[in-house]
Amino acid sequence: LKLIQELSASKKFIIIIPTVVIDNLDGLKKESKQAREVIKWLENQFRKGNRFLRAQNQNEKILNSYDKNLWKKDMELWRSYQLL
């Protein structure tokens, strides 16, 4: 979170938060105080209209060329592919 906050505050980059990151944070928020803090901060920034930080749009996607059942075989690798 601190790194994203610093990059956003620098106003030199547009940071796109991938949907899979938001989904994973949402799943962790019940167990993790840090995940709740990140989600609150992101929601606040999105609400304020921070032009250097935004969520990934649905149409922003790279075509996947990996095994479609990878998530069943190796969840961690599948999540990494989703982030990329």
Side-chain angles (χ1 to χ4, degrees), residues 17-21 23-24 56 60-68 70-71 74-84:
I17 308 297
T19 304
V20 67
V21 170
D23 291 345
N24 281 319
Q56 176 186 11
E60 295 176 326
K61 201 176 198 181
I62 296 175
L63 295 176
N64 300 327
S65 61
Y66 59 86
D67 180 1
K68 300 299 180 197
L70 182 60
W71 66 275
D74 188 339
M75 181 61 83
E76 195 63 35
L77 183 57
W78 180 80
R79 285 183 175 149
S80 295
Y81 276 124
Q82 293 296 306
L83 284 171
L84 294 174

Side-chain angles (χ1 to χ4, degrees), residues 17-32 34-40 42-43:
I17 308 297
T19 304
V20 67
V21 170
I22 295 170
D23 291 345
N24 281 319
L25 285 169
D26 194 45
L28 292 171
K29 70 182 177 187
K30 292 179 183 174
E31 304 164 5
S32 169
Q34 285 180 313
R36 284 190 301 275
E37 289 174 8
V38 173
I39 287 179
K40 285 180 186 179
L42 286 173
E43 287 175 345

